[in-house]
């Protein structure tokens, strides 16, 4: 009997999942690329049959990956996109030209991998076959079989020991680096940068987004050691914003290759312009290596890019905005975006944060803006207790609502929100995923009441 999608997901869930469980030490004992590479040999080494881009970084790697894939697709090519985590469905992680992998293809790939995973000797090494590694193998096989022209692979954690780092990419991309996962990647920017720079290949090509000087210095050192060419976006490109708004930005951008006046970036927030510049620099380097990426494809691909859960507006009057700000720097970017892109009277904040994140930093950046803070938690084991979030938020916000249950927390936030307010759900992408599932049902009565008010 064929494996169903539900059966396939349940089977994958029996493997170690460091996204939802407390992380272990980041070392070759627990993240073994050699073992994973040998596993891919059993599958025909699909990573060696693909042209790839690998993207590491602390912030913006998912948005940048989506932008690159969109530009490739808009140039008439077939683009694979592998990202993590997902918001609502695991199928979001594996896409070709924007289409999520089908349930049938997902289940078929799991069924195909199952005998390899259960083969003699593999059971004892199951810790090396993690949830993320299996999904990476599935993505590589799927992209190979569908004949993608480019596979864009987002690193899951770090870079040096990440499963995506088995690929030898046309371009390695490093987005903005800041403090995150300090318990496994290191407690200084140079240490974190060195782990991210692990995706730089000997004699390869690296595009690096604007960075703090100490991060850029490490990346330069690694490029020099590997005789790899470095494209420094902050040095080699220039951009000037024309307009910021809730639906995105318009920017004039210029590189040594060409000028791009009035590029439309439909992802809100000034920080997305840094991601756009990095993505365009990458597209140009792919073009220089023979991939037929068109100037109009760059423009149209940027205009059409979609990336949910990043300053995503799901309602107006009142504003309801979802953003997965997961560290202090992300929260600071979010705060700036609220000030520049959204007109509102009061901020109603729904906040749930993973326990391994910088709770104090995120809370200090956002809660002073809020008239009401609803402290809650995402439905994952790694979520910090709502009480802990509430206690820390009370230092900065006068009105705190404590609600462990996400659905009730969202309902109470909606009830506290007036028509000219902004309700912001943030702190964890897992909370954003919960909100995306729950909000449509919660907002139906609100919409019905508003409609009755208008008709009355």
């Amino acid at each position: 009997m064929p494996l169903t999608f539900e059966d396939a997901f349940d089977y994958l869930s029996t493997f170690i999942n460091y996204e939802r469980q407390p992380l272990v030490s980041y070392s070759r004992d627990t993240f073994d690329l050699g073992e994973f590479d040998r596993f891919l040999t059993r599958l025909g080494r699909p990573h060696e049959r693909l042209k790839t881009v690998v993207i590491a970084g602390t912030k913006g790697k998912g948005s940048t990956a989506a932008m690159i894939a969109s530009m490739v697709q808009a140039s008439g090519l077939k683009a694979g996109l592998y990202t993590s985590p997902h918001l609502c469905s695991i199928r979001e992680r594996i896409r070709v030209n924007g289409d999520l992998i089908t349930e049938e293809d997902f289940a078929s790939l799991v069924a195909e991998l199952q005998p390899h995973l259960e083969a003699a000797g593999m059971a004892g090494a199951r810790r090396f076959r993690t949830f993320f590694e299996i999904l990476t193998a599935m993505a590589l096989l799927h992209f190979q079989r569908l004949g993608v022209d480019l596979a864009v692979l987002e690193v899951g954690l770090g870079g040096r020991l990440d499963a995506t780092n088995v690929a030898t990419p046309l371009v390695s991309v490093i987005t903005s680096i800041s403090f995150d996962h300090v318990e496994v990647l290191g407690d200084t920017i140079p240490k974190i940068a060195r782990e991210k720079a692990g995706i730089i290949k000997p004699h390869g090509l690296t595009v690096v987004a604007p960075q703090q000087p100490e991060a850029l210095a490490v990346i330069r050192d690694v490029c020099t050691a590997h005789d790899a060419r470095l494209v420094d976006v902050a040095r080699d490109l220039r951009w000037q914003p024309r307009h910021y708004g809730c639906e995105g930005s318009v920017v004039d951008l210029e590189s040594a290759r060409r000028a791009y006046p009035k590029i439309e970036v439909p992802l809100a927030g000034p920080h997305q312009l840094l991601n756009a510049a990095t993505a365009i620099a990458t597209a140009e380097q792919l073009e220089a290596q023979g991939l037929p990426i068109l100037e109009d494809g760059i423009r149209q691909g940027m205009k059409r890019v979609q990336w949910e859960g990043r300053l995503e507006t799901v309602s107006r009057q009142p504003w309801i905005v979802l953003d997965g700000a997961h560290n202090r720097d992300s929260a600071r970017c979010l705060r700036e975006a609220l000030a520049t892109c959204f007109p509102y009277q009061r901020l109603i904040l729904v906040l749930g944060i993973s326990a391994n994140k910088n709770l104090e930093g995120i809370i200090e950046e956002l809660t002073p803006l809020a008239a009401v803070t609803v402290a809650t938690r995402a439905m994952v084991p790694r979520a910090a207790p709502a009480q802990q979030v509430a206690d820390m938020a009370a230092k900065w916000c006068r009105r705190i609502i404590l609600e462990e249950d996400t659905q009730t927390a969202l309902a109470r936030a909606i009830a506290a929100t007036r028509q000219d307010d902004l309700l912001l759900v943030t702190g964890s992408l897992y909370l954003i995923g919960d909100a995306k599932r729950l909000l449509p049902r919660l907002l139906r009565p609100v919409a019905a009441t508003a409609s009755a008010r208008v008709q009355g």
Side-chain angles (χ1 to χ4, degrees), residues 326-394:
H326 61 278
N327 67 4
R328 181 188 280 272
D329 276 10
S330 295
R332 188 177 296 126
C333 288
L334 173 54
R335 188 183 67 190
E336 180 184 1
L338 293 175
T340 55
C341 302
F342 295 91
Y344 64 93
Q345 290 296 316
R346 299 186 310 152
L347 178 67
I348 311 301
L349 181 63
V350 179
L351 193 58
I353 308 171
S354 294
N356 66 320
K357 301 299 182 179
N358 179 0
L359 273 70
E360 184 176 3
I362 296 169
I363 289 168
E364 186 176 346
E365 292 291 338
L366 295 176
T367 53
L369 305 177
V372 181
T373 296
V374 182
T376 188
R377 56 174 291 155
M379 301 174 193
V380 293
R382 269 172 56 186
Q387 183 68 64
Q388 183 181 5
V389 174
D391 290 344
M392 297 176 73

Side-chain angles (χ1 to χ4, degrees), residues 103-258:
E103 291 188 355
E104 293 76 16
D105 284 346
F106 187 96
S108 177
L109 282 166
V110 172
E112 181 180 344
L113 295 187
Q114 200 166 9
H116 296 289
L117 294 165
E118 301 298 332
M122 293 300 292
R126 179 170 279 204
R127 65 195 179 108
F128 295 123
R129 303 285 68 77
T130 65
F131 180 86
F132 184 78
E133 285 178 329
I134 298 167
L135 283 170
T136 303
M138 290 169 60
L140 294 169
L141 283 171
H142 189 63
F143 295 155
Q144 177 204 332
R145 290 170 183 175
L146 267 63
V148 303
D149 297 293
L150 184 76
V152 183
L153 310 177
E154 179 193 2
V155 164
L157 173 69
R160 178 174 62 96
L161 299 176
D162 191 80
T164 58
N165 202 28
V166 294
T168 301
L170 298 177
V171 185
S172 300
V173 182
I174 302 177
T175 63
S176 177
I177 293 172
S178 56
F179 287 105
D180 197 24
H181 295 301
V182 294
E183 72 280 14
V184 290
L185 299 182
D187 56 0
T188 69
I189 292 297
K191 288 179 182 177
I192 296 170
R194 194 159 296 278
E195 292 296 341
K196 307 288 186 184
I199 67 168
I200 297 170
K201 301 299 184 182
H203 313 294
L205 170 63
T206 301
V207 172
V208 59
Q211 300 287 348
Q212 300 178 52
E214 57 266 44
L216 183 60
V218 170
I219 294 166
R220 285 190 183 281
D221 286 347
V222 174
C223 282
T224 299
H226 287 317
D227 194 24
R229 187 160 68 88
L230 178 65
V231 176
D232 181 352
V233 171
R235 180 194 63 198
D236 299 338
L237 279 78
R238 295 184 297 278
W239 57 93
Q240 180 63 46
R242 284 174 171 259
H243 167 74
Y244 292 126
C246 63
E247 295 181 345
S249 306
V250 179
V251 60
D252 294 332
L253 187 143
E254 185 176 356
S255 69
R257 195 175 188 91
R258 62 173 69 97

Side-chain angles (χ1 to χ4, degrees), residues 28-43 45 47 117 121-130 133 161 163 166:
R28 294 185 189 278
D29 291 335
T30 45
F31 293 84
D32 191 312
L33 273 188
E35 285 286 341
F36 183 54
D37 187 75
R38 285 187 282 278
F39 177 68
L40 291 176
T41 298
R42 301 171 67 97
L43 308 179
R45 302 191 67 76
H47 56 299
L117 294 165
M122 293 300 292
R126 179 170 279 204
R127 65 195 179 108
F128 295 123
R129 303 285 68 77
T130 65
E133 285 178 329
L161 299 176
V166 294

